[in-house]
Amino acid sequence: MTVDSTAARKPRRSSKRAGAKKAAGESELVQLLTPEGERVEHPDYSIDLSPEELRGLYRDMVLTRRFDAEATTLQRQGELGLWASLLGQEAAQIGSGRATRDDDYVFPTYREHGVAWCRGVDPTNLLGMFRGVNHGGWDPNENNFHLYTIVIGSQALHATGYAMGVAKDGADSAVIAYFGDGASSQGDVAEAFTFAAVYNAPVVFFCQNNQWAISEPTERQTRVPLYQRAQGYGFPGVRVDGNDVLAVLAVTKAALDRARTGEGPMLVEAFTYRMGAHTTSDDPTRYRRDEERELWEAKDPILRLRAHLEKQGLADEAFFASLETESDALAKRVRDTVRSMPDPDHMAMFEHTYADGHTLVDEERAQFVAYQASFAEESK
Ligand SMILES: Cc1ncc(C[n+]2csc(CCOP(=O)(O)OP(=O)(O)O)c2C)c(N)n1
Ligand SMILES: [Mg+2]
């Protein structure tokens, strides 16, 4: 999708002014679409999308949410071992994902299903690891989309190193590193910020502040709004309404263009909310109140764009109906594909630990063979 963004056309002016505001300590939220679906303007970031592009963003968010819901259900049915839902974070992911160019490189966490969708990774490929049948599921270099990273914050370092390489190559692409509010407390993220700043690396740090790190609220991570942390490292930070797909798209595009033109890193804090559990192994009723979620349901990223499309007469009933049919087809394809994923050979896990083998691995392999054989004995 090509996006005509005024902010993107004038990256220098936009980002510098955003930086100046931050220095004054304002915790302003960049917003271009209110929760009621009204378009509003922002002095530093603006965007002008065609009706088709707006419907495209809506379609991306709806299909991503449907895929995510299907994966959660598959976990409940025992088809996946675990699932990390992105419910509520669709705008943060689709807006930023659609801001990237094909030659940019993306380093995700384990929750970036919407970004993967934008990069062209088939959603079914995301499920193999969660089913336990492979260690990844896609070739990172096919779509410039790195494998999911579960070691919190480590991908910020990988992204920064990669971006330093991009700069050395003289390429004009950019790199984007995704991480959460909890990850922002990790040493790896602090080190990545330092290196990126000092080497002026073309990397955008995209923090989805969904306000929870499993059961820890953001108040346990920081005393200042997260985007303000960037100032101490010497690069600009901006807080964007993470449930506003237009604002996220405009801000991320400006940040990526800024990186591309040699102006260095930028921190984008997408202020959003994790509407579901941390993963299917988590029970958020143990640590947060239902009212909090209800408050955020009123800011739902999909409903606000739908309200805008309807109010402006940019989409008709036929569009919404055909999207429903497309969602059903996607869900069916996801179910069928997951159920037909072949189980890996159980012995394969011993094969790739050491290049030349190891006595401990040999011992464990023998134990496992004996363990499996014990079932055969029992069934006699
Ligand atoms: C280095 C490391 N420490 C701890 C964990 C366990 N862990 C998994 S997810 C998570 C919380 C992450 O929260 P946040 O960064 O806000 O991302 P979110 O899950 O909210 O998207 C933790 C502590 C881990 N995976 N890696
Ligand atoms: Mg979080």
Side-chain angles (χ1 to χ4, degrees), residues 191-206:
E191 289 162 20
F193 282 10
T194 300
F195 268 80
V198 169
Y199 287 90
N200 205 42
V203 58
V204 172
F205 295 109
F206 192 90

Side-chain angles (χ1 to χ4, degrees), residues 84-85 89 109-112 149-154 179-186 188 207-216 218 221 274 278-279:
S85 167
Q89 298 177 218
T109 73
Y110 40 83
R111 206 186 289 286
E112 264 66 82
T149 302
I150 295 180
V151 181
I152 301 298
S154 57
F179 57 93
D181 44 291
S184 73
S185 301
Q186 287 290 114
D188 280 2
C207 177
Q208 283 172 89
N209 179 358
N210 63 10
Q211 302 184 53
W212 291 93
I214 312 184
S215 56
E216 289 293 304
T218 318
Q221 314 291 346
R274 194 197 77 208
H278 170 72
T279 65

